[in-house]
């Protein structure tokens, strides 16, 4: 499932202009996931692999005017689409690789990552990089607006026991990269895993 940087940029770059039109009904799922994440006013949150910034309005609402929202993506065209949609009004947008974030250690309270994990070239190392920039006790949300089975069906494939997002695989992966899984939900209408950064 993992893909190299160039392929990710090419894949998403070619689809950026139509991304929001392709998935017009995802907004409420993003809002619900952010609400369940439990962010507080004043929190500093990273939208990792933010794409067109579909989570940024909900993240801004959660952290309030005193909080910080930073959207990071590898694909310039996705960030351009986010700006065209006005989502840069909700927080800063930065062209960067989540595998090498230009952020200080423990500077954030939380990371929200929608649809990201399947595109990480080295999931354990990349999740460790996300842990590096989050304070101990901070949170991680791994989200997708549909569950694993529905996503597999959309792509014409079957789920296998090797699926990285399966609970029995994801739990040890998170643990090995500095996170403790707090909850796991894989329903038809959403995938949401919450984890806590270990001290």
């Amino acid at each position: 499932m993992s893909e190299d940087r160039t392929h990710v940029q090419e894949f998403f770059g070619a689809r950026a202009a139509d991304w929001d039109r392709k998935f017009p009904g995802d907004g409420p799922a993003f809002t619900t996931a952010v609400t369940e994440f439990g962010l507080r006013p004043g929190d500093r949150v990273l939208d990792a692999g933010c794409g067109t910034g579909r989570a940024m309005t909900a993240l801004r609402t959660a952290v309030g005017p005193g909080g910080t929202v930073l959207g990071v993506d590898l694909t310039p065209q996705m960030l351009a689409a986010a700006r065209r949609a006005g989502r840069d009004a909700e927080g800063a947008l930065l062209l960067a690789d989540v595998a090498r974030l230009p952020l200080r250690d423990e500077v954030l309270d939380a990371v929200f990552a929608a649809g990201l994990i399947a595109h990480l070239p080295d999931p354990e190392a990349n999740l460790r990089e996300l842990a590096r920039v989050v304070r101990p006790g901070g949170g991680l949300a791994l989200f997708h607006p549909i569950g694993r089975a529905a996503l597999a069906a959309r792509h014409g494939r079957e789920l296998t026991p090797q699926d990285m997002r399966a609970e029995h695989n994801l739990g040890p992966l998170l643990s090995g990269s500095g996170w403790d899984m707090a909850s796991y939900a894989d329903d038809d209408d959403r995938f949401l895993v919450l984890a806590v950064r270990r001290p």
Side-chain angles (χ1 to χ4, degrees):
M1 301 265 301
S2 64
E3 303 166 48
D4 65 48
R5 177 188 174 110
T6 302
H7 180 72
V8 168
Q9 287 178 313
E10 290 173 353
F11 180 89
F12 287 104
R15 292 162 175 79
D18 295 321
W19 194 259
D20 286 358
R21 285 191 295 273
K22 188 173 179 184
F23 305 107
D26 286 351
F30 275 83
T31 300
T32 299
V34 170
T35 299
E36 289 185 32
F37 194 15
L39 296 167
R40 295 167 301 198
D43 275 354
R44 298 155 299 172
V45 61
L46 171 67
D47 186 355
C50 67
T52 62
R54 293 184 296 165
M56 291 189 70
T57 299
L59 292 171
R60 170 55 65 199
T61 298
V63 304
T68 299
V69 178
L70 173 61
V72 168
D73 203 272
L74 188 61
T75 307
Q77 297 94 324
M78 281 289 193
L79 294 176
R83 289 186 185 96
R84 283 194 302 274
R87 292 171 182 144
D88 53 338
E90 310 294 355
L93 294 171
L94 179 65
L95 180 65
D97 189 343
V98 298
R100 292 180 300 281
L101 290 165
L103 299 172
R104 298 189 314 271
D105 293 356
E106 301 181 6
V107 71
L108 300 172
D109 297 296
V111 173
F112 185 86
L116 177 71
I117 192 165
H119 302 288
L120 296 176
D122 185 345
E124 186 168 341
N126 303 150
L127 288 168
R128 192 175 302 116
E129 172 67 356
L130 295 179
R132 179 187 69 78
V133 300
V134 173
R135 64 169 175 78
L140 170 69
L142 301 176
F143 168 70
H144 199 283
I146 60 175
R148 292 186 312 122
L151 185 61
R154 178 186 286 176
H155 293 293
R157 60 177 177 80
E158 293 184 6
L159 285 178
T160 69
Q162 291 75 37
D163 185 340
M164 177 174 39
R165 290 165 295 189
E167 187 172 7
H168 65 269
N169 295 324
L170 189 54
L173 177 62
L174 287 165
S175 182
S177 53
W179 301 96
D180 289 323
M181 186 185 292
S183 64
Y184 182 95
D186 181 19
D187 307 313
D188 286 344
D189 59 351
R190 62 113 183 229
F191 175 87
L192 180 63
V193 173
L194 303 181
V196 177
R197 164 76 153 79
R198 280 203 302 272

